[in-house]
Amino acid sequence: MRQLAELPPNLVKYIKPEEAIACALNRLPPLYATSPEGGKRQQEKAQTDLAENIFLAVRQGLAAVQRDP
């Protein structure tokens, strides 16, 4: 996680990345796919349409974990 690398090292040691990831994923819409082609389409959608939402969700996930380590 790039945003995690930008935090101070003394704070990072108290953050569990999997908890921040779970918080971020809970704030994003599901992108289900049932075929490899559908998976590619969903990945493209995430990279184009949802990039800003993903960035903000990760930031919020990190903030949530920082408040309650």
Side-chain angles (χ1 to χ4, degrees):
M1 290 176 31
R2 286 178 270 183
Q3 292 184 37
L4 188 61
E6 295 173 3
L7 295 174
N10 61 336
L11 182 61
V12 171
K13 65 183 177 182
Y14 295 108
I15 294 176
K16 294 181 181 178
E18 58 275 2
E19 289 181 7
I21 291 168
C23 287
L25 288 173
N26 285 334
R27 290 174 167 81
L28 293 169
L31 296 173
Y32 299 113
T34 58
S35 67
E37 295 82 18
K40 286 181 183 181
R41 263 187 267 125
Q42 294 292 51
Q43 188 172 15
E44 290 171 6
K45 178 180 179 177
Q47 291 172 346
T48 57
D49 300 343
L50 300 174
E52 182 66 24
N53 292 355
I54 292 169
F55 178 83
L56 293 174
V58 171
R59 179 175 284 176
Q60 291 170 347
L62 288 170
V65 173
Q66 287 177 36
R67 274 185 265 146
D68 189 18

